[in-house]
Amino acid sequence: MTSPGAKCPHCETAVRSADRFCEDCGGSLSEPQKVAIPRPPSTDAPCTDCGNATPFDEYCTVCGHRRAQPDRDEASLGAMALITDRGIEHAGNEDAAAAGMLVGSDAAQPDAIAIVVSDGVSSSDEAHKASAAASKAGVDAMLAAIAASKKSRAAMLAGLDAAAKAAATAGTDSVTAPSCTYTAAIVIPTAGSAQVTVGNVGDSRAYWLPASPAAARRSRP
Ligand SMILES: [Zn+2]
Ligand SMILES: [Zn+2]
C-alpha cells in the first residue's frame, strides 16, 4: 500500500505508509504521541481575587493574581501513568512530568517510550515554568533522536541538552532563571524484553522495582 506523497520526516525520501522505517536513512516513521502534566487550568474562569472576567492564562491581567492550580494532576499514555501533587509546604505545584512514545502500526507495542520527571527547585523563582519546559523539551528531543536512529545514550544526552536550554529560558528574568531537577528514562521494547536507559540530574531519582526476590535499585545520586 502506498499513500501518495508520504515522505520520511528525516530525509524527505518517499516512503510507503506500511513501512516502519525509512529504507533510505533508517529513521523511524512512527508517530509520536505525548502527554504532559500539570495541564494548565481553563483560561475562561474569572479571577478569584478581583473578579476580572476577561480570559487570561496564568496571571490575572488586572491584579496579577496567579490562577489557582489543581493540587493534583494525572495522565496516562499507553502503559505509562503520570501523577503530580503539590508539595505540602508549597503554595503551588512546582513539579512537572511528560511522557511520549513512538507508535507504528501497533499501538499496544510502541517502538520507543520516553519519560521525564522534573522537580521545581523552590529556592528559584518561577520553578514551575522550568520543570514544565524541561520535561516537555526532554521528551521531545529524546523521541526525535530515537526516531532519527540515534542510540538511547545519545538520545538521553540530546534530551538533557534540550531540557537544560528550555529551563534556562523558561523564566521571565534571565538573572533569576528558574531551576529544576531532571530524571529521564528511555524504554526500547524488544522481543520479550526491553532496554531501559536512565539519566538524572539533581536529587530526583529513578527506581527499578522488579518482582521479588530480585532487589530494588535506585539511580544515583
Ligand atoms: Zn529517511
Ligand atoms: Zn485579578
Side-chain angles (χ1 to χ4, degrees), residues 7-13 15 21-29:
K7 284 184 178 170
C8 168
H10 314 291
C11 74
E12 304 267 298
T13 298
V15 293
F21 297 94
C22 171
E23 289 186 355
D24 201 49
C25 75
S28 171
L29 305 177

Side-chain angles (χ1 to χ4, degrees), residues 46-53 56 59-66:
C47 174
T48 53
D49 215 37
C50 76
N52 170 28
F56 61 93
Y59 293 96
C60 174
T61 47
V62 172
C63 75
H65 177 72
R66 186 180 172 201

Side-chain angles (χ1 to χ4, degrees), residues 29-116:
L29 305 177
S30 298
E31 291 288 326
Q33 296 180 3
K34 295 178 226 172
V35 290
I37 55 169
R39 285 160 292 201
S42 159
T43 59
D44 293 337
C47 174
T48 53
D49 215 37
C50 76
N52 170 28
T54 311
F56 61 93
D57 291 329
E58 191 176 356
Y59 293 96
C60 174
T61 47
V62 172
C63 75
H65 177 72
R66 186 180 172 201
R67 195 184 280 289
Q69 312 284 312
D71 279 351
R72 159 171 286 205
D73 198 6
E74 49 191 75
S76 62
L77 177 67
M80 293 178 280
L82 306 179
I83 301 177
T84 179
D85 282 302
R86 176 178 59 83
I88 291 169
E89 294 178 5
H90 297 294
N93 187 359
E94 295 172 335
D95 308 332
M101 55 188 192
L102 294 174
V103 180
S105 50
D106 181 4
Q109 175 73 295
D111 293 337
I113 288 168
I115 191 162
V116 174

Side-chain angles (χ1 to χ4, degrees), residues 197-216:
T197 305
V198 173
N200 71 303
V201 176
D203 61 0
S204 301
R205 298 180 187 97
Y207 295 85
W208 175 253
L209 303 172
S212 180

